[in-house]
Amino acid sequence: MKKKAYYFFSSTISTCSYATLLNLLLLLPVFAFAQLQEQLGAPKIIHYDRSDYNAYNQNWAIAQDEQGIMYFANSKGLLLYNGNQWQISELPLGQVVRTVAIDPEGRIYTGGYAEIGYWEKSLYGKLKYHSYADSVHNRAFKQEEIWHVITVGNGEIYFQSLSTIYHLKNNAVEVVSSQHPFENIKLVNGVVYAMSTDGLFEIRNNKLSLVPGSTSISKEGIDDMVPYALNQLLLCSSTSKLFIYDNKTFKPFASEAQSFLTGNPVLNILRIAENRFAFSTLQNGVIVTDGFGKIIYHFSKNTGLASNSALALLTDKKGNLWVGLDGGVSQVLLQSPFLHHKDGEGKFGVVNSAAFYREKLYLATANGLFYLNSPESKVYEKLKQFAGPVQSVETIDDHLFLSTTTGTYTIYNDVVSKISNVIIGWCIRPIPGKPDYVIEGSYNGLTIYHKAANGKWQLHATIPLRQWLPSKDVVVDDQGIVWVKHLYYGIFKIKLSNDLKSTVSVQVLGKHSGLPASGKLNLFRYKNTIRITGTKGIFYEDTPGHFKPDIQLKQKLGDYFFAKRIIADYDPEWWIINDDNSISHLKWIPDGKPDIKRFGQRNFYLLNDFEHIRKLRSLYLFCTEDGFSMYNSQQPVSFTDVSAPIINEVNVLNGGNPVPVAQVKASGEIIQLPYRLNNLSISWGMPEYDSRKMYSYRVNGMPGYEEWSRWSAAYQKQFDNMPAGRYTFQVRSDISDKITSLSFVILSPWYFTLWAKILYILILAGLLYLLYRAHRRRLVQQRLRLEAHTEQLVQQQRKDNQHELMTAQQQKLTQEVLLKSEHLANSSINLIEKKAVLNKIKKALADIKDEAGPGFPVNKYNRLIKMINNHTGNDNDLKLFEESFDQIHDEFFKKLLKEYPDLAPPDLKLAAYLKMNLTTKEIAPLLNITLRGVEVKRYRLRKRLKLSSDQNLIEFMMNI
């Protein structure tokens, strides 16, 4: 083994300078902690199953294009993944796609049963397939299945079935060889190798040449090969035996990898880095080894891989490993700076806290306290004394403090001691300036512990408080002031007594103190002072009890100023918990500026509001919901250039159906769409596969969309009824500053084109001319009409004058009638009054006669009575009155009878009296009836006229 190790690295070390060797020696501690990190955890695995990509289970091969888009040879077809969307494209007869490779021009070559060809991307649309099956002139091809394809440049492509190798160039397909049973074909160090049970062959000028010495292992059958060290190849046989070829001999590769692979059929070998190799197996997942064959990782169904049948391997442009499975696709984040220990068996449950104590890792979990004696063993043992949940664990003064649901304990020299009955303690902190005291924040409040003279820790005091104060976090400043984060709301500032047994003052900090009224707040120390942080910013105490935003920190931190939480326990290094639960690492450099690295992984399940991060030298440990994760701050982190979003599809909606823009007429670099296709759908993706991404978009030139949209995980947008104009669609992501733009034009409708406008001008000119002609005709006609109208006015004026004369005469007659009616009425009244006076005189004479007795002159009396009777009994005056009355009111009677033909003559007479405005008392003698009789006649007349109760009878008559 030592000889092999020397041989593997000899060519590299010989070219190193002494300075390089010195740097390597200085980096040994880094490598040691990197090794510890690898021993404690493994890279994160992201899995995609058939429900994610909507195709079949088996994925036989993997490729990646220049843009970073992934392609998978799936049993249903060619599967594409751009980081957001999956797309399946099927072969003409629905064959299984067994292999995929991409040439420098971006053509995607695939093979299947009796099928070879390539896929080409259309403009912002789907893949289009071009088949070469009809160009193959080999009868056996119709019964063959293509298992591998490689591209070698210069337009040359090789396809391999189990019996034949085909060569494609300039659209011509020829048979290279059909004389051997082939297992694989591969391009290694610029040479095309064909692997067969008959030996290893090189292909040069489309001729097979047997590699010297390969017949010695031909009985094993060669399945796969990769570059190993300088001028060496690593091969694997059909029986899973490993060999090293040094251009002369094939030597067995005795190693830990060989021991593992014995009995585990190997399907693929992949060199994933300078000193890293991956082996996929049919039944036991994937192993990753170093150059000596030492197994670094074993990925299987037990450790997060979705299936043990690993059919394909590929490292992407970032160095992460993709595994095609018989059961989906898995991505192993080899290049992530984080390694994870996933509690797949549910042994721990939630890991609440962790601590490194005397070379052991302790985990406070929902299922008890666990510890790891040796990283190599990877066996976590449980302390039997703690069967229930353990909330926190801290290392202070060479003691291990822990809080459980039964009390608070210490461990020292493997001796467990209970120091109080305080339960559910979230944190234990030292008190500055008092090394023999610590303070605990728990569900029930604050507790002080004291180190006795014998070195044992014991309960000192439970701080009495007026209100319940579940103390989620506690920070003590240099003046001894205790700052407490309440479990549910607010920050408390507490001053303790000198003996640390009671409080001197308790101040609740909130909106009145200048802090945000809403949102969760957190505490951290910065430059020996306390800072309060939340999504509204970072605040410092300007004056006692009053806070202001820290403008200096805002200038230094930028958007991180609004982080949800900052953990600054290991200054000058901070961990920032962002609002979207992603994390960032900050390190203050000597000039006072921060060096910030943001990690895009959001599948990093820290405990919300209970984030615990522990440090052992340069190794950080994060407690998570399903185990823990680790980060080595001294290990170089490779931040590869993050790509910009990619426009995946642009479709126009024609009748509600999406039509790729490539099928619509376009000219030049800018897409031009007819106005009738002004409904546009744009989808995009981003080939960054280790991060969840948020997008924001805008459309320059489109009202309502010219400002950046809110960040969202959506990767598609539809724009309906876009007006004609020139637009630029832009999209960006939250993990990159790069912006992708797409310009397009919605053409004006035909009725707004240039020719249409010219036509409109001509039509308008014609209309103006016609209007001019029509206007002149109208003026002539108007003059004629004016003359005719003038004549009509003259005639009308004459008629009006005659009418006015007749009206005046009629009014005069009406007035005369009224005067005569008034005169007649007065005469009637005078006549009635005269008769009444005469009747009174007649009665008075009769009374005088009776009083005078026999001496009364009877003859004279009788003569007077006769004269009176002649005047009162004569009806000629009454007849004359009635005749005059009828003549005067003849027109009135005609109108009244026309409207009310059922009226009788007495009714007409009463109506006439009412029209003359006579009272009931005046009407009664005219009708020779009583007042009551007049009222009855009036009532009957109202009934016949059908007047309502609120209508005045006299006014009604006056208006006729």
Side-chain angles (χ1 to χ4, degrees):
M1 178 65 72
K2 292 181 179 179
K3 181 179 180 180
K4 188 176 293 293
Y6 172 80
Y7 188 80
F8 182 78
F9 286 107
S10 60
S11 61
T12 303
I13 294 177
S14 63
T15 60
C16 292
S17 66
Y18 289 107
T20 304
L21 289 174
L22 179 60
N23 289 334
L24 290 174
L25 291 174
L26 293 174
L27 286 174
L28 284 177
V30 177
F31 294 147
F33 276 96
Q35 184 179 10
L36 175 62
Q37 188 182 18
E38 290 177 347
Q39 290 171 342
L40 292 177
K44 185 78 174 180
I45 299 176
I46 302 173
H47 182 66
Y48 309 95
D49 60 29
R50 59 182 303 177
S51 64
D52 294 312
Y53 55 72
N54 195 28
Y56 294 160
N57 272 330
Q58 295 87 358
N59 294 279
W60 301 97
I62 310 172
Q64 186 179 30
D65 68 12
E66 287 298 320
Q67 289 183 304
I69 296 175
M70 304 298 301
Y71 298 87
F72 304 89
N74 183 270
S75 291
K76 187 177 181 180
L78 179 63
L79 195 59
L80 175 153
Y81 182 47
N82 66 2
N84 285 101
Q85 290 176 292
W86 294 87
Q87 177 182 311
I88 186 70
S89 302
E90 298 186 32
L91 288 173
L93 300 178
Q95 301 101 312
V96 174
V97 177
R98 296 290 186 184
T99 181
V100 59
I102 302 174
D103 71 3
E105 286 72 36
R107 291 183 173 184
I108 306 151
Y109 290 87
T110 58
Y113 181 75
E115 184 61 57
I116 59 174
Y118 72 92
W119 304 79
E120 192 172 30
K121 294 180 182 178
S122 61
L123 178 64
Y124 302 122
K126 297 184 180 297
L127 297 175
K128 183 179 181 181
Y129 184 66
H130 303 269
S131 176
Y132 285 115
D134 294 337
S135 301
V136 179
H137 304 292
N138 182 19
R139 293 181 179 180
F141 178 73
K142 299 298 181 182
Q143 303 297 322
E144 289 182 319
E145 191 156 31
I146 302 299
W147 284 92
H148 298 97
V149 59
I150 61 171
T151 64
V152 297
N154 299 320
E156 292 187 81
I157 313 296
Y158 287 93
F159 299 90
Q160 173 251 317
S161 72
L162 295 180
S163 61
T164 310
I165 293 176
Y166 298 93
H167 175 258
L168 169 66
K169 187 174 183 180
N170 298 328
N171 296 324
V173 180
E174 63 174 316
V175 175
V176 175
S177 174
S178 59
Q179 305 300 318
H180 305 279
F182 295 104
E183 299 292 336
N184 201 348
I185 186 170
K186 210 158 189 179
L187 178 67
V188 180
N189 296 332
V191 179
V192 179
Y193 289 93
M195 287 153 269
S196 169
T197 53
D198 293 337
L200 179 65
F201 296 89
E202 292 183 7
I203 300 179
R204 299 182 184 274
N205 299 319
N206 285 347
K207 302 294 182 182
L208 266 64
S209 173
L210 184 66
V211 174
S214 64
T215 54
S216 63
I217 59 170
S218 61
K219 63 179 180 178
E220 302 289 345
I222 302 172
D223 270 1
D224 206 352
M225 59 188 296
V226 292
Y228 185 58
L230 186 64
N231 298 323
Q232 291 183 328
L233 301 177
L234 174 63
L235 299 90
C236 182
S237 72
S238 301
T239 57
S240 299
K241 291 184 179 180
L242 303 179
F243 298 91
I244 301 295
Y245 175 61
D246 59 2
N247 287 329
K248 294 180 181 179
T249 59
F250 293 83
K251 296 181 180 179
F253 183 37
S255 60
E256 184 181 356
Q258 179 63 84
S259 300
F260 175 87
L261 296 174
T262 301
N264 286 321
V266 177
L267 298 181
N268 296 277
I269 311 176
L270 181 68
R271 184 173 183 173
I272 57 179
E274 183 70 24
N275 187 33
R276 290 289 186 272
F277 298 86
F279 300 82
S280 69
T281 70
L282 182 62
Q283 299 172 343
N284 206 359
V286 177
I287 59 171
V288 174
T289 72
D290 61 13
F292 306 113
K294 178 178 176 58
I295 297 175
I296 300 171
Y297 303 121
H298 176 205
F299 305 111
S300 66
K301 199 166 184 178
N302 293 333
T303 58
L305 209 62
S307 169
N308 283 333
S309 296
L311 306 178
L313 295 174
L314 179 80
T315 49
D316 62 19
K317 294 179 180 300
K318 287 192 171 184
N320 292 316
L321 179 67
W322 291 80
V323 184
L325 301 168
D326 184 5
V329 175
S330 288
Q331 180 192 13
V332 184
L333 303 182
L334 292 177
Q335 296 305 311
S336 171
F338 296 91
L339 293 182
H340 308 266
H341 178 87
K342 184 175 181 180
D343 180 26
E345 300 176 356
K347 184 177 183 179
F348 301 151
V350 175
V351 176
N352 297 312
S353 181
F356 294 100
Y357 178 62
R358 293 191 175 183
E359 306 302 324
K360 293 181 182 179
L361 171 63
Y362 286 85
L363 302 177
T365 77
N367 294 330
L369 182 67
F370 292 83
Y371 67 94
L372 180 67
N373 262 325
S374 169
E376 291 83 0
S377 69
K378 299 183 180 180
V379 177
Y380 291 85
E381 299 183 20
K382 182 177 181 180
L383 265 71
K384 298 179 181 179
Q385 296 94 324
F386 306 107
V390 178
Q391 196 63 39
S392 65
V393 59
E394 300 278 355
T395 301
I396 300 175
D397 186 47
D398 198 30
H399 284 69
L400 190 67
F401 288 79
L402 61 148
S403 178
T404 72
T405 54
T406 61
T408 302
Y409 299 80
T410 61
I411 298 177
Y412 180 73
N413 291 333
D414 295 328
V415 176
V416 177
S417 303
K418 185 174 184 179
I419 58 176
S420 79
N421 292 320
V422 176
I423 62 172
I424 313 179
W426 288 300
C427 60
I428 298 177
R429 307 284 192 218
I431 300 178
K434 296 181 180 294
D436 293 335
Y437 292 88
V438 296
I439 185 170
E440 179 182 25
S442 70
Y443 188 76
N444 292 317
L446 299 175
T447 306
I448 306 294
Y449 298 97
H450 174 245
K451 184 179 181 181
N454 59 4
K456 294 183 178 181
W457 287 89
Q458 60 189 17
L459 178 65
H460 177 71
T462 299
I463 304 299
L465 296 167
R466 294 182 179 179
Q467 66 182 90
W468 176 51
L469 181 59
S471 305
K472 181 176 175 293
D473 193 14
V474 176
V475 178
V476 184
D477 64 20
D478 291 343
Q479 286 71 42
I481 302 298
V482 180
W483 300 76
V484 179
K485 175 189 175 181
H486 193 283
L487 177 62
Y488 299 111
Y489 64 89
I491 302 293
F492 287 72
K493 181 181 178 182
I494 301 173
K495 183 176 182 181
L496 299 179
S497 59
N498 292 331
D499 60 1
L500 302 180
K501 291 186 176 181
S502 61
T503 61
V504 175
S505 63
V506 177
Q507 186 177 1
V508 182
L509 306 176
K511 183 179 180 181
H512 61 280
S513 308
L515 295 175
S518 61
K520 295 181 179 180
L521 302 175
N522 291 284
L523 298 164
F524 71 97
R525 289 174 63 99
Y526 175 63
K527 293 184 176 179
N528 299 321
T529 59
I530 302 299
R531 293 293 188 275
I532 298 177
T533 185
T535 55
K536 303 295 183 181
I538 300 173
F539 297 81
Y540 74 100
E541 192 174 28
D542 178 47
T543 58
H546 188 268
F547 291 77
K548 286 185 176 180
D550 193 327
I551 303 302
Q552 291 184 352
L553 270 181
K554 185 176 182 180
Q555 294 172 348
K556 293 179 179 180
L557 299 181
D559 290 341
Y560 295 101
F561 179 76
F562 303 99
K564 182 171 68 173
R565 186 180 180 191
I566 293 177
I567 298 175
D569 296 341
Y570 307 105
D571 198 56
E573 294 184 60
W574 291 5
W575 286 97
I576 300 173
I577 314 298
N578 303 304
D579 193 41
D580 60 357
N581 288 329
S582 64
I583 60 175
S584 302
H585 177 256
L586 179 150
K587 185 174 183 179
W588 293 101
I589 53 182
D591 62 359
K593 295 181 180 179
D595 177 23
I596 303 177
K597 297 181 178 70
R598 181 173 182 176
F599 302 103
Q601 293 92 341
R602 295 191 186 90
N603 47 8
F604 202 69
Y605 301 113
L606 297 176
L607 306 179
N608 269 335
D609 297 324
F610 289 90
E611 298 89 355
H612 281 270
I613 302 176
R614 295 293 179 261
K615 185 180 182 183
L616 174 61
R617 297 183 187 174
S618 65
L619 185 64
Y620 285 95
L621 186 145
F622 303 80
C623 301
T624 65
E625 295 177 2
D626 57 354
F628 60 86
S629 300
M630 291 160 292
Y631 171 79
N632 188 351
S633 62
Q634 292 186 3
Q635 184 176 357
V637 178
S638 175
F639 282 90
T640 57
D641 188 29
V642 178
S643 62
I646 297 173
I647 303 296
N648 184 40
E649 288 187 17
V650 180
N651 293 323
V652 294
L653 302 180
N654 188 8
N657 299 317
V659 178
V661 73
Q663 298 180 17
V664 181
K665 183 179 179 181
S667 62
E669 297 181 357
I670 298 179
I671 300 171
Q672 295 187 3
L673 301 174
Y675 185 74
R676 61 183 178 84
L677 300 177
N678 63 347
N679 296 324
L680 201 64
S681 174
I682 303 175
S683 64
W684 56 88
M686 193 171 184
E688 299 293 331
Y689 304 99
D690 56 356
S691 305
R692 288 175 51 200
K693 299 165 286 293
M694 305 286 280
Y695 298 102
S696 176
Y697 62 87
R698 67 181 177 187
V699 183
N700 293 328
M702 187 173 182
Y705 290 93
E706 293 188 339
E707 298 296 329
W708 286 107
S709 66
R710 292 183 178 181
W711 293 106
S712 168
Y715 48 85
Q716 184 173 4
K717 178 61 181 175
Q718 180 174 322
F719 302 96
D720 295 325
N721 300 319
M722 299 181 70
R726 180 182 292 267
Y727 303 100
T728 299
F729 172 82
Q730 294 183 319
V731 62
R732 62 181 180 176
S733 77
D734 63 338
I735 62 173
S736 171
D737 295 330
K738 297 179 181 178
I739 297 175
T740 298
S741 299
L742 170 69
S743 296
F744 58 94
V745 174
I746 303 295
L747 298 174
S748 299
W750 65 267
Y751 44 83
F752 280 160
T753 60
L754 177 62
W755 290 108
K757 291 177 180 179
I758 294 174
L759 179 61
Y760 297 153
I761 293 173
L762 294 176
I763 292 174
L764 179 61
L767 288 174
L768 290 174
Y769 177 73
L770 293 175
L771 288 173
Y772 171 74
R773 293 290 303 271
H775 181 62
R776 289 195 61 183
R777 278 198 309 270
R778 189 165 56 251
L779 289 176
V780 173
Q781 293 174 356
Q782 186 176 3
R783 179 173 58 80
L784 296 175
R785 284 197 300 269
L786 182 59
E787 292 175 353
H789 182 62
T790 303
E791 181 63 27
Q792 290 177 356
L793 289 177
V794 172
Q795 296 295 331
Q796 184 66 35
Q797 185 65 37
R798 292 174 183 171
K799 291 180 181 180
D800 290 344
N801 292 338
Q802 293 175 358
H803 178 69
E804 289 177 359
L805 180 60
M806 292 175 64
T807 301
Q809 291 175 352
Q810 186 177 1
Q811 290 177 350
K812 181 178 179 182
L813 292 173
T814 302
Q815 189 66 29
E816 289 176 356
V817 170
L818 292 175
L819 290 174
K820 288 180 180 180
S821 297
E822 185 177 355
H823 178 71
L824 182 59
N826 292 333
S827 298
S828 300
I829 293 170
N830 291 334
L831 182 60
I832 292 169
E833 289 178 350
K834 183 181 73 169
K835 283 185 179 183
V837 170
L838 290 176
N839 284 330
K840 288 180 180 180
I841 293 173
K842 183 179 178 181
K843 185 177 183 300
L845 289 174
D847 292 338
I848 293 172
K849 177 185 176 185
D850 291 340
E851 290 176 0
F856 185 76
V858 177
N859 293 332
K860 294 181 180 179
Y861 168 77
N862 289 334
R863 199 166 44 248
L864 287 173
I865 292 301
K866 184 178 181 180
M867 290 174 63
I868 292 172
N869 288 336
N870 288 336
H871 283 283
T872 57
N874 188 3
D875 293 332
N876 292 331
D877 293 336
L878 183 59
K879 289 179 180 180
L880 180 61
F881 167 76
E882 290 179 351
E883 290 175 359
S884 301
F885 183 85
D886 291 339
Q887 290 177 1
I888 294 172
H889 294 288
D890 182 57
E891 289 298 325
F892 170 72
F893 291 151
K894 288 179 180 179
K895 290 182 181 179
L896 199 57
L897 286 172
K898 185 178 180 180
E899 296 291 333
Y900 305 97
D902 295 335
L903 294 178
D907 297 325
L908 295 174
K909 186 174 290 188
L910 177 60
Y913 290 149
L914 293 173
K915 184 174 179 64
M916 294 168 63
N917 201 20
L918 297 180
T919 64
T920 300
K921 186 176 181 182
E922 292 171 339
I923 294 172
L926 293 175
L927 297 179
N928 198 21
I929 59 176
T930 64
L931 295 177
R932 177 62 178 168
V934 176
E935 293 295 334
V936 172
K937 283 184 173 291
R938 288 178 61 137
Y939 174 75
R940 289 175 180 171
L941 180 60
R942 291 182 64 91
K943 294 287 285 184
R944 290 176 179 173
L945 296 177
K946 299 179 180 179
L947 298 181
S948 61
S949 59
D950 57 348
Q951 285 183 286
N952 188 284
L953 183 58
I954 295 176
E955 290 180 358
F956 179 77
M957 293 302 173
M958 296 291 287
N959 292 329
I960 294 178

